[in-house]
């Protein structure tokens, strides 16, 4: 009996502590945008033939005053749940366009857009505003969405995606192969690019089945006029295999980790560049 009560006493403070900590994180998250605590890192894409940098993906981080650099996996879901992803997502688009406008060789910039940013109809307007303010050519911006965006309210999401494409902005399907019904989505929307998920790239050189899947994705993409990019490339063997398979673009730690804007080396030098 005494032991039972002891067990209860042991768990309650623990759960309490977890809840309190989460509550504090939510509080911090609410003020993070106003305190300018978010930062974008950029991870290059390279051409499979020749290795030139063709663009970069913008990846958000939260510079928390106590916790340090918080990964998006740890706060994006919380931001979505708390209804904060709209303004944070708009900030990402604004900053990514402003940064890319400085890149000398006209490389593209990709932004990840949460399915929840499709809930209201403000996304095309947010994008247009960011393009206008930065002067970035629309074709240099690419929006990355996952299949989940097309699950909830596919018709509304497709309508918004079409508006975005009509502006000349590119649309890419991220993490391809991890969701379901992928093929029907490909038929319903003309993506510019498909990003093959890291899970298929990982065992590419040791597993025949992954090689078969990557080839099949390539054939489908080619047939539909879409290009393919492989994410999470970590070894030269993977890169070579993907190049031979006809993958146009590669991305992964083999080429570069995500970097702070000033570490990228794509921007113009001189007074035009902010500190
Ligand atoms: P994602 O869009 O699929 O991004 C790829 C993730 O894989 C990134 O993690 C990247 O750093 C990591 N990665 C890249 N190359 C390699 C590699 O060679 N090996 C391994 N092991 N990992 C690699 P990150 O930056 O932590 O982002 C995680 C996810 O958070 C992203 O997945 C994306 O879904 C989400 N995310 C990031 N930034 C944003 C944002 O601004 N808005 C929204 N809504 N989501 C974001
Ligand atoms: Mg992405
Ligand atoms: Mg991805
Ligand atoms: Mg991924």
């Amino acid at each position: 009996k005494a032991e039972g009560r002891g067990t209860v006493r042991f768990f309650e403070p623990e759960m309490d502590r977890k809840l309190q900590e989460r509550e504090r994180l939510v509080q911090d998250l609410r003020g993070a945008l106003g305190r300018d605590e978010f930062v974008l890192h950029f991870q290059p894409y390279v051409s499979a033939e020749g290795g030139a940098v063709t663009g970069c993906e913008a990846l958000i981080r939260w510079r928390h005053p106590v916790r340090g650099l918080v990964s998006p996996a740890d706060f994006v879901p919380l931001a979505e749940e708390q209804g904060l992803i709209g303004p944070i997502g708009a900030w990402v688009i604004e900053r990514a366009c402003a940064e890319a406008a400085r890149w000398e060789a006209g490389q593209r910039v990709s932004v990840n857009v949460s399915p929840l940013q499709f809930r209201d109809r403000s996304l095309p307007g947010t994008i247009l505003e960011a393009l206008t303010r930065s002067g970035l050519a629309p074709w240099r911006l690419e929006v990355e969405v996952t299949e989940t965006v097309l699950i909830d309210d596919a018709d509304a999401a497709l309508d918004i995606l079409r508006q975005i494409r009509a502006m000349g902005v590119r649309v890419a399907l991220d993490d391809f192969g991890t969701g379901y019904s992928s093929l029907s989505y490909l038929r319903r929307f003309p993506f510019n690019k498909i990003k093959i998920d890291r899970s298929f790239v990982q065992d590419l050189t040791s597993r025949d089945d992954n090689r078969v899947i990557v080839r099949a994705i390539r054939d489908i993409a080619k047939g539909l006029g879409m290009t393919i990019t492989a994410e999470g490339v970590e070894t030269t063997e993977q890169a070579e295999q993907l190049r031979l398979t006809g993958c146009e673009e590669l991305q992964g730690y083999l080429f570069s980790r995500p970097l702070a804007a000033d570490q990228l080396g794509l921007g113009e030098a001189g007074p035009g560049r902010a500190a």
Side-chain angles (χ1 to χ4, degrees), residues 178-253:
T178 55
Y180 51 93
S181 313
S182 317
L183 300 182
S184 69
Y185 297 138
L186 290 182
R187 205 184 44 191
R188 289 193 70 185
F189 186 77
F191 293 97
N192 296 92
K193 165 170 137 182
I194 294 173
K195 288 185 81 174
I196 301 180
D197 190 65
R198 185 160 64 91
S199 55
F200 297 108
V201 173
Q202 258 170 354
D203 310 321
L204 197 61
T205 46
S206 59
R207 285 181 54 172
D208 284 343
D209 49 0
N210 272 359
R211 218 166 312 166
V212 168
I213 289 171
V214 170
R215 276 198 213 112
I217 296 174
R218 171 208 58 194
D219 288 342
I220 292 164
K222 290 276 143 70
L224 296 172
M226 303 171 187
T227 65
I228 47 177
T229 297
E231 65 173 30
V233 181
E234 294 182 352
T235 70
T236 49
E237 290 77 19
Q238 291 165 350
E240 182 58 9
Q241 183 72 48
L242 289 160
R243 187 185 68 81
L244 290 172
T245 313
C247 208
E248 283 95 347
E249 262 179 357
L250 309 176
Q251 183 190 34
Y253 293 167

Side-chain angles (χ1 to χ4, degrees), residues 45 57 59 112 144 174-175 195 231:
Y45 298 121
E57 176 174 10
L59 295 158
N112 293 285
E144 289 191 6
D174 204 357
D175 301 337
K195 288 185 81 174
E231 65 173 30

Side-chain angles (χ1 to χ4, degrees), residues 37-274:
E37 288 173 354
F38 293 114
V39 51
L40 290 184
H41 282 185
F42 295 89
Q43 186 179 30
Y45 298 121
V46 305
S47 162
E49 301 281 351
V53 175
T54 51
C56 290
E57 176 174 10
L59 295 158
I60 195 171
R61 275 94 182 89
W62 178 14
R63 233 193 269 123
H64 191 280
V66 178
R67 294 165 196 261
L69 214 56
V70 185
S71 123
D74 295 328
F75 73 85
V76 166
L78 203 58
E80 290 176 333
E81 180 197 301
Q82 298 292 321
L84 300 169
I85 198 66
I88 294 173
W91 177 88
V92 169
I93 294 167
E94 179 79 30
R95 282 303 316 148
C97 289
E99 192 55 44
R102 302 193 184 111
W103 297 343
E104 272 182 336
Q107 289 95 345
R108 277 180 281 121
V109 69
S110 311
V111 292
N112 293 285
V113 174
S114 158
L116 294 187
Q117 289 177 261
F118 284 79
R119 285 277 173 84
D120 65 32
R121 310 197 58 85
S122 63
L123 188 59
T126 301
I127 291 172
L128 191 60
E129 227 172 88
L131 289 172
T132 308
R133 253 204 285 268
S134 62
L136 189 76
W139 54 268
R140 291 185 56 200
L141 177 64
E142 185 167 73
V143 167
E144 289 191 6
V145 298
T146 58
E147 290 161 348
T148 38
V149 85
L150 299 170
I151 288 171
D152 290 354
D153 188 352
D155 290 332
L158 287 169
D159 183 51
I160 292 173
L161 285 175
R162 286 195 189 99
Q163 286 180 47
I164 292 170
R165 271 215 59 169
M167 286 159 48
V169 171
R170 297 165 50 93
V171 180
L173 187 55
D174 204 357
D175 301 337
F176 186 75
T178 55
Y180 51 93
S181 313
S182 317
L183 300 182
S184 69
Y185 297 138
L186 290 182
R187 205 184 44 191
R188 289 193 70 185
F189 186 77
F191 293 97
N192 296 92
K193 165 170 137 182
I194 294 173
K195 288 185 81 174
I196 301 180
D197 190 65
R198 185 160 64 91
S199 55
F200 297 108
V201 173
Q202 258 170 354
D203 310 321
L204 197 61
T205 46
S206 59
R207 285 181 54 172
D208 284 343
D209 49 0
N210 272 359
R211 218 166 312 166
V212 168
I213 289 171
V214 170
R215 276 198 213 112
I217 296 174
R218 171 208 58 194
D219 288 342
I220 292 164
K222 290 276 143 70
L224 296 172
M226 303 171 187
T227 65
I228 47 177
T229 297
E231 65 173 30
V233 181
E234 294 182 352
T235 70
T236 49
E237 290 77 19
Q238 291 165 350
E240 182 58 9
Q241 183 72 48
L242 289 160
R243 187 185 68 81
L244 290 172
T245 313
C247 208
E248 283 95 347
E249 262 179 357
L250 309 176
Q251 183 190 34
Y253 293 167
L254 175 65
F255 308 101
S256 174
R257 298 214 165 225
L259 300 171
D262 59 358
Q263 293 180 297
L264 261 181
L266 296 179
E268 67 192 39
R273 191 171 171 81

